[in-house]
Amino acid sequence: MEERRAIVDKKARLAREARVVREKEAAVAAEKKRREQGQKHTESRELMEQMARKKANEDAKKKRAQDKAWKEEVRAKVAADKAARFANKRPAEEGAAPPEQAKSPEAAPAAPKAKKVYDKCTVMIRLLDGSNQKVTFAPSDTVGTVHEHIRGLWGAGMPDGSWALANTFPREVYNSPEAMAKTLLEVGMVPRGALAVQRL
């Protein structure tokens, strides 16, 4: 009887020891799996952060390039307009008779050069997202007309009072009723010019 009880106790003890070993092995395997998953998560997060930084740098570089191209385009247009005005003014000055000849009865009076009248003007509009839009208006249209055009594009995304149009050269912000009533001819947008949307 005692021998049988000893055998039973021994089997029970061995079973307990085997269970403890299995539990330890399972705990070690679980910890190993948890660490591997944590390492993968860390690597995945670092990769996503790296991709986000790369995209942000690329977007910033692209925006700087767009800003530079737009400014160069505006400068080129302003220079072209200035050169055109100078070229139109110079022949008129060269064609005018000197004071001595103007007094002579034989000298025919120089015919005044007719000023060119434009029936439309092209406005380059720079939006808040950095994109440009070229729109044709009438010289008699007002700054308010351009304002309404942009509000129709953006809708509720740009509530009134949160933005205004600004002339890039010379610098002037149109955010008053008097400024909005000015015609595009008065603000120098004829035959072409540039306006930028500015947050207030």
Side-chain angles (χ1 to χ4, degrees), residues 40-57:
K40 290 181 180 179
H41 178 72
T42 301
E43 292 175 352
S44 177
R45 184 180 61 189
E46 290 177 351
L47 180 60
M48 291 179 65
E49 291 177 352
Q50 183 179 359
M51 293 174 64
R53 288 193 298 269
K54 183 178 180 181
K55 186 177 185 303
N57 291 335

Side-chain angles (χ1 to χ4, degrees), residues 115-121 123 137-143 167 174 181-192:
K115 185 176 181 180
K116 186 174 182 179
V117 178
Y118 295 92
D119 59 353
K120 62 182 180 180
C121 60
V123 181
F137 297 95
S140 58
D141 286 338
T142 63
V143 176
N167 199 342
Y174 306 108
K182 291 183 178 181
T183 66
L184 298 181
L185 179 62
E186 291 175 329
V187 298
M189 296 293 113
V190 180
R192 64 181 64 86

Side-chain angles (χ1 to χ4, degrees), residues 43-165:
E43 292 175 352
S44 177
R45 184 180 61 189
E46 290 177 351
L47 180 60
M48 291 179 65
E49 291 177 352
Q50 183 179 359
M51 293 174 64
R53 288 193 298 269
K54 183 178 180 181
K55 186 177 185 303
N57 291 335
E58 291 176 350
D59 291 344
K61 185 177 180 180
K62 182 178 179 182
K63 189 175 186 305
R64 287 194 298 270
Q66 290 177 344
D67 290 343
K68 183 179 180 181
W70 183 74
K71 290 179 180 178
E72 290 177 352
E73 184 177 357
V74 171
R75 290 195 191 99
K77 288 183 178 180
V78 171
D81 290 343
K82 186 181 294 185
R85 288 194 296 268
F86 180 76
N88 292 335
K89 182 179 179 182
R90 187 170 182 178
E93 293 176 349
E94 293 176 351
E100 293 79 5
Q101 295 180 1
K103 294 179 181 179
S104 173
E106 297 178 357
K113 184 176 179 65
K115 185 176 181 180
K116 186 174 182 179
V117 178
Y118 295 92
D119 59 353
K120 62 182 180 180
C121 60
T122 301
V123 181
M124 180 73 73
I125 304 172
R126 181 168 179 79
L127 303 176
L128 288 176
D129 60 0
S131 62
N132 297 321
Q133 186 180 70
K134 187 181 293 185
V135 187
T136 301
F137 297 95
S140 58
D141 286 338
T142 63
V143 176
T145 304
V146 184
H147 190 281
E148 289 297 320
H149 172 78
I150 298 173
R151 186 167 64 177
L153 291 176
W154 289 85
M158 293 176 61
D160 288 341
S162 66
W163 62 280
L165 286 169

